[in-house]
Amino acid sequence: MSRHPPTPLDAENVTYRWTQCLVEELVRLGVTTFFVAPGSRSTPLTVAVARHSKARAILHIDERGTAFAALGYGRATGRPAGWITTSGTAVANGLPAVVEAHTDGVPLLLLTADRPPELRDTGANQTIDQVKIFGDYVRWHADLPVPSEEIDPAYVLTTADQAVLRTVRRPRGPVHLNCMFRKPLEPVADDPAGTVSEMVQSWARGDRPFRTSSVPRLAVPSASLHALAAEIEDVERGLIVVGRLDAPSPAVRRLAAHLQWPLLPDITSQHRLGPSAEAVRVAYHDAILASDSFAAQHAPEAVLHFGGRHVSKRLRLFLRDAAPPLRAVVRPDPRRLDPDHRVTHQVEASVDAGADALCKQCSGRDRTAWSTAWQTADRRVARALHAAFRDRETLTEPYVSHLLSQRLPSGHAFVVGSSMPVRDAHRFGAPEGEPVRVYANRGASGIDGTVATAAGVAQARGGSVTLLLGDLALGHDLNSLALLQEHPVVVVVLNNDGGGIFHFLPIREHESFDPYFTTPQGRTFRAAADLFDLPYAQPETPDAFIDAYRSACASETSALLEVRTERDRNRTLHDVLDAEVISALERPEADDEV
Ligand SMILES: Cc1ncc(C[n+]2csc(CCOP(=O)(O)OP(=O)(O)O)c2C)c(N)n1
Ligand SMILES: [Mg+2]
């Protein structure tokens, strides 16, 4: 007797018919990784994932962590991971990651379990209003009814199709499927009746998605780019700013070299660290802009901004004050990226296509005095910073950023936490290291979920991640260290015993500064490393740090390296480094002309 191999329709009951169809369709669409937290109402989703041979479940107890891990996965792959939770406050714990995914355009698929209608608003246990709970922070939302034999599962399939489409269609972002389930939640046999359309039956026997969706390739707005090209044709004093990008853009690099406009790369632009073929990159622009006189003499007449946000406050203020008559933002996102209201052209186009089109329409240039001035400044500052670090030989926060950027292994992902780590990595990172990818949650710049985000990046890449973060950020997401078991992440925590960033704000002059803003915790993380089975080291010198980092990278497991620093001294050191940069910029050097 020949029986066909089991299909998603071979389910114990209608609930499982639906969730098996849902998971099968997601897997066929390439959503194969699910971050799952424990719960009862979500049983039909969890079991359907557990049963699927091509679905991978990553289990963790904290929904805030699983949501951030799914966010990290989406950042690293450009595809959504599934986030599975039970009902109630578990769902609400997804909000921080959803906000970040929305703000920074990261695909994320939220699958939340809910009670059936007769239990809503009745005081039933663990029941809250989950409908549209994420508000405008999701690209799309569907409140799926209780699985029913009266509804053809084709409904479930096209809902999955639509959900995935809306996570990846620009602007990418989170999508929420709220799934009502009625008991029994377990796969108890109750042969589902009801008709299943021939289309669904044929889908079940095959291996293709029920519906394929095509995401439109953004047309290049040729007329506006043509006009833009004409406006910049004669501009020598132009700058190219590169904000957050998923991957390096050779087209942007080519355009910068073609126009001889200095390229100012954000730390998350994938152009700031690692080799660059063209000399126009000004990696140390944030340090350079410490010099008011340099800034005053180098106000641009035009700026082309490619990609998302840029970390540097100095750059923002410099461009705000320079107020160039032409400032264009080119990115595949219609949302405003202009806190100072200075943007004159918003071009909704893919970064590569936009840069390519401009390159074709503008005449190329040889080196100009303008580009030489920026490159000379970059070289002088690089030299000054290298010397400053070498001479001091103490393990400071800026030095850790600098050392790490030089030693990240090729192909590594570098995840940087909000607050000073991302700023220091941007300002002091050395551009001469290996090619790496850099990720940071700078959409909404929270210090939450940083460890989980790195864990999600590691899941996507099978390891090879270094995470640099502050002590409060680590404390905030401590339980996510449990997520680092499967794929190695080297965690470097800068423990300055509180929020070092507040020393850079005017509140430091006021009496309530300490402890209300700094919030010192007086702890080391040694015991936490023990609790989560992570090898631990607390290097005290640059050499010891390099050794510890090297052996952590070489090992197959995650590790925690703790660097102790002092907030007051850190603030002073930043001022001293600024002064050294300024003096290097003002002191002509013999080999300036190269
Ligand atoms: C979720 C969240 N809560 C609060 C803040 C405000 N905040 C910004 S930086 C910071 C201090 C971070 O301290 P730490 O991680 O130790 O980094 P450091 O400032 O010492 O570099 C805080 C509380 C935030 N950005 N996100
Ligand atoms: Mg700190």
Side-chain angles (χ1 to χ4, degrees):
M1 195 178 78
S2 84
R3 237 182 86 75
H4 65 79
T7 78
L9 294 172
D10 295 314
E12 290 84 354
N13 56 46
V14 68
T15 300
Y16 277 78
R17 182 198 271 168
W18 274 39
T19 55
Q20 289 185 180
C21 283
L22 175 66
V23 170
E24 173 66 27
E25 182 70 348
L26 292 175
V27 167
R28 291 187 192 186
L29 292 166
V31 182
T32 52
T33 299
F34 296 83
F35 292 89
V36 181
S40 171
R41 191 59 52 168
S42 47
T43 302
L45 290 167
T46 303
V47 171
V49 166
R51 281 176 167 181
H52 199 294
S53 62
K54 292 185 188 152
R56 191 167 59 123
I58 292 104
L59 310 178
H60 180 56
I61 54 170
D62 182 341
E63 291 80 5
R64 186 172 68 181
T66 48
F68 272 107
L71 171 88
Y73 181 95
R75 278 196 183 287
T77 60
R79 295 194 319 271
W83 178 69
I84 293 182
T85 76
T86 190
S87 63
T89 57
V91 177
N93 272 281
L95 184 62
V98 171
V99 167
E100 177 63 23
H102 158 79
T103 313
D104 213 18
V106 181
L108 176 61
L109 181 60
L110 310 157
L111 303 166
T112 62
D114 199 355
R115 313 264 150 164
E118 65 272 18
L119 293 180
R120 287 181 171 181
D121 199 16
T122 60
N125 185 38
Q126 211 176 312
T127 307
I128 63 167
D129 183 1
Q130 298 177 192
V131 178
K132 298 199 173 166
I133 189 170
F134 299 116
D136 288 343
Y137 288 109
V138 289
R139 301 283 181 265
W140 192 62
H141 170 274
D143 189 26
L144 275 78
V146 175
S148 154
E149 289 163 351
E150 283 161 25
I151 305 175
D152 185 352
Y155 161 71
V156 177
L157 303 178
T158 64
T159 302
D161 298 333
Q162 188 64 10
V164 174
L165 170 67
R166 296 301 301 272
T167 63
V168 293
R169 184 178 186 274
R170 308 268 182 177
R172 298 164 167 177
V175 161
H176 181 199
L177 298 184
N178 190 49
C179 308
M180 284 188 256
F181 296 119
R182 188 172 286 131
K183 286 184 174 174
L185 302 167
E186 306 70 40
V188 289
D190 176 17
D191 259 353
T195 48
V196 173
S197 63
E198 176 46 39
M199 268 180 90
V200 172
Q201 291 182 32
S202 125
W203 165 86
R205 290 189 296 270
D207 59 3
R208 297 165 64 90
F210 189 76
R211 186 189 91 184
T212 57
S213 318
S214 52
V215 181
R217 269 188 59 173
L218 264 186
V220 180
S222 335
S224 24
L225 282 174
H226 198 71
L228 188 58
E231 284 189 63
I232 62 176
E233 178 67 29
D234 295 322
V235 177
E236 181 182 322
R237 297 169 67 97
L239 292 174
I240 292 196
V241 171
V242 195
R244 209 273 281 178
L245 292 181
D246 288 342
S249 166
V252 169
R253 251 185 212 145
R254 274 196 302 275
L255 177 66
H258 185 72
L259 297 173
Q260 282 296 301
W261 284 13
L263 185 155
L264 315 187
D266 183 58
I267 185 69
T268 60
S269 69
Q270 319 306 344
H271 287 260
R272 171 67 181 78
L273 303 181
S276 168
E278 286 84 16
V280 287
R281 171 173 69 176
V282 184
Y284 287 110
H285 59 272
D286 185 58
I288 291 172
L289 291 173
S291 164
D292 292 339
S293 75
F294 182 94
Q297 288 160 31
H298 295 84
E301 286 164 11
V303 174
L304 295 175
H305 178 122
F306 291 92
R309 290 192 64 213
H310 198 286
V311 166
S312 169
K313 183 175 175 191
R314 280 182 188 162
L315 180 64
R316 179 172 83 70
L317 299 180
F318 168 62
L319 296 180
R320 180 196 69 187
D321 296 345
L326 185 152
R327 183 158 162 195
V329 171
V330 182
R331 63 175 189 146
D333 191 324
R335 293 178 293 174
R336 179 162 60 170
L337 189 59
D338 186 17
D340 295 308
H341 312 287
R342 292 284 188 273
V343 170
T344 58
H345 298 61
Q346 169 135 343
V347 182
E348 192 179 343
S350 98
V351 163
D352 287 335
D356 259 343
L358 287 171
C359 212
K360 283 198 193 98
Q361 291 171 34
C362 294
S363 327
R365 303 198 179 101
D366 291 331
R367 244 169 86 173
T368 59
W370 168 254
S371 65
T372 307
W374 281 89
Q375 283 161 44
T376 304
D378 199 44
R379 227 176 9 257
R380 284 194 200 168
V381 167
R383 219 178 282 146
L385 288 175
H386 277 79
F389 292 135
R390 199 181 46 236
D391 295 349
R392 281 192 181 78
E393 271 309 305
T394 40
L395 199 50
T396 59
E397 294 182 34
Y399 198 16
V400 167
S401 284
H402 190 75
L403 282 175
L404 268 183
S405 59
Q406 287 170 323
R407 285 169 174 77
L408 292 163
S410 180
H412 223 62
F414 187 30
V415 179
V416 268
S418 288
S419 203
M420 292 310 286
V422 71
R423 290 175 170 82
D424 280 355
H426 180 60
R427 183 173 299 170
F428 302 111
E432 64 269 3
E434 300 287 340
V436 291
R437 287 292 165 87
V438 183
Y439 302 105
N441 286 337
R442 295 298 297 176
S445 301
I447 57 161
D448 42 354
T450 320
V451 178
T453 303
V457 172
Q459 285 291 340
R461 305 167 53 94
S464 305
V465 174
T466 292
L467 166 65
L468 178 68
L469 82 175
D471 53 306
L472 295 192
L474 178 55
H476 207 293
D477 198 23
L478 202 63
N479 72 33
S480 290
L481 290 175
L483 275 163
L484 305 188
Q485 296 301 323
E486 198 174 333
H487 295 295
V489 175
V490 179
V491 181
V492 178
V493 57
L494 295 165
N495 188 353
N496 55 20
D497 198 17
I501 196 168
F502 295 110
H503 289 253
F504 294 82
L505 299 178
I507 189 69
R508 76 173 188 278
E509 310 290 352
H510 297 262
E511 94 263 21
S512 46
F513 178 54
D514 232 343
Y516 286 89
F517 295 87
T518 50
T519 55
Q521 306 291 300
R523 294 199 176 88
T524 90
F525 290 95
R526 182 185 295 275
D530 252 10
L531 182 63
F532 292 99
D533 298 321
L534 298 171
Y536 171 88
Q538 198 189 118
E540 287 176 3
T541 64
D543 284 344
F545 175 75
I546 292 166
D547 282 349
Y549 179 65
R550 258 206 209 114
S551 50
C553 286
S555 96
E556 300 284 288
T557 61
S558 295
L560 179 59
L561 309 185
E562 177 165 4
V563 176
R564 305 299 301 265
T565 63
E566 282 175 30
R567 284 181 270 111
D568 268 326
R569 289 168 80 163
N570 183 48
R571 162 69 212 237
T572 312
L573 175 66
H574 279 76
D575 292 345
V576 169
L577 291 172
D578 277 353
E580 290 183 16
V581 162
I582 292 168
S583 110
L585 286 171
E586 283 162 6
R587 195 175 52 232
E589 290 176 21
D591 59 345
D592 270 354
E593 290 307 319
V594 288

